[in-house]
Amino acid sequence: MRWRRPEFWEFLLTTQDAVREPFVGSTRLRLAGLALHAYTASGTVLALLIVIAAIDGDAVRALWLGLAALWIDGTDGMIARRLRVKETIPWFDGAMLDNIVDYLTYAFAPIVLLWTGGYLPNGFIGAALAALPLLASSYQFCRTDAKTDDHFFLGFPSYWNVVAFYVVILGLGPTATGVILLTCSILVFVPVKYVYPSRTRMFRTMNLVTTLIWLAAYAVLLTQMPNPSPIVVGISLAYLVYYAGLSLYLTFWAPRRKAA
């Protein structure tokens, strides 16, 4: 019988190996993937420029650069999935690159901005408050479950760039800034699931639309500095309320309603 012949089993094994062979794609697709990684890596340069702007005392320029970093971080993941970079360039760890860039642009550079801009208390207390977000984020970025399987961030997702933005825009003093940094550092360790705007499936369209509105408000507020419009500030803050409320709802109440 055919199945007893050696050549049949050789053909079957070869076919199975072909099925298991990872997708490699075209040369053009691989080059596009490499260009995308360079696009992500450009965030490290933006982090440097943010630090330079902070040292120069130009907080608005630093925040414009932070907006560019936000845009890159918000778009590179979607492009990466479309280009299937994990399969076309399997030897390069894009997730690690993303974490490096995010730590620099979301944590390190914004804290430098707050420190050099005089938004933190003087002396040891200010230094300790500046260190807290860096230490908390170091822990979070090394957690394997920092991004959950159902596409949420576990714990406050190190949005120190957003914190720095509002400190500058609202002109918050050292005490208020210190309280915010301390509170958010603690929230890094509290297992609340925060919405991942571009990936969380629930209310995804609404999340993307409101995030784009928030980014637009971010840009408008920077053009209005040093006298931002209260209306635009309100629109911007409304997004934070929406984001926090939805995250709490999806963490605590939605699972109960589903179970019921």
Side-chain angles (χ1 to χ4, degrees):
M1 295 178 67
R2 184 182 179 187
W3 62 269
R4 291 182 178 177
R5 299 174 184 175
E7 58 269 24
F8 172 79
W9 291 105
E10 182 179 355
F11 167 79
L12 182 60
L13 291 172
T14 303
T15 303
Q16 290 176 335
D17 289 340
V19 171
R20 295 192 188 99
E21 184 178 351
F23 172 82
V24 293
S26 65
T27 299
R28 178 182 296 182
L29 202 56
R30 285 194 292 273
L31 290 174
L34 290 172
L36 175 67
H37 286 318
Y39 174 66
T40 300
S42 67
T44 60
V45 180
L46 289 174
L48 172 63
L49 295 176
I50 292 170
V51 170
I52 292 173
I55 294 172
D56 290 342
D58 193 340
V60 173
R61 172 158 54 102
L63 292 177
W64 274 116
L65 293 164
L67 178 59
L70 272 169
W71 181 261
I72 290 173
D73 183 57
T75 55
D76 63 352
M78 292 184 287
I79 300 172
R81 289 186 288 276
R82 178 65 61 90
L83 296 177
R84 301 173 68 174
V85 293
K86 285 186 178 180
E87 297 168 87
T88 58
I89 315 175
W91 48 268
F92 191 91
D93 193 337
M96 181 179 291
L97 173 63
D98 190 63
N99 279 341
I100 292 171
V101 173
D102 284 355
Y103 186 83
L104 291 174
T105 57
Y106 279 52
F108 184 78
I111 297 303
V112 172
L113 173 60
L114 293 178
W115 176 259
T116 58
Y119 295 101
L120 292 171
N122 295 323
F124 174 78
I125 294 177
L129 289 170
L132 282 178
L134 299 180
L135 294 172
S137 294
S138 295
Y139 165 82
Q140 186 179 54
F141 274 87
C142 292
R143 289 190 61 165
T144 57
D145 60 350
K147 295 178 182 178
T148 65
D149 293 336
D150 52 351
H151 306 303
F152 286 86
F153 297 113
L154 189 63
F156 176 73
S158 295
Y159 287 151
W160 306 110
N161 52 342
V162 176
V163 171
F165 170 73
Y166 283 107
V167 168
V168 174
I169 292 295
L170 300 177
L172 300 181
T175 301
T177 302
V179 170
I180 293 172
L181 292 183
L182 176 60
T183 302
C184 291
S185 295
I186 293 172
L187 289 177
V188 168
F189 301 92
V190 178
V192 172
K193 296 169 68 173
Y194 290 80
V195 170
Y196 191 156
S198 63
R199 300 206 69 186
T200 301
R201 294 187 180 91
M202 295 181 179
F203 306 101
R204 186 169 184 268
T205 300
M206 179 64 74
N207 296 336
L208 289 173
V209 170
T210 53
T211 300
L212 288 173
I213 293 173
W214 180 79
L215 289 171
Y218 183 121
V220 171
L221 287 170
L222 289 183
T223 63
Q224 295 175 337
M225 287 295 288
N227 299 304
S229 166
I231 295 176
V232 182
V233 170
I235 292 172
S236 179
L237 291 174
Y239 173 78
L240 297 191
V241 174
Y242 166 80
Y243 181 87
L246 181 60
S247 297
L248 290 171
Y249 170 77
L250 294 179
T251 299
F252 297 108
W253 287 279
R256 294 178 185 177
R257 292 186 61 182
K258 187 176 180 181

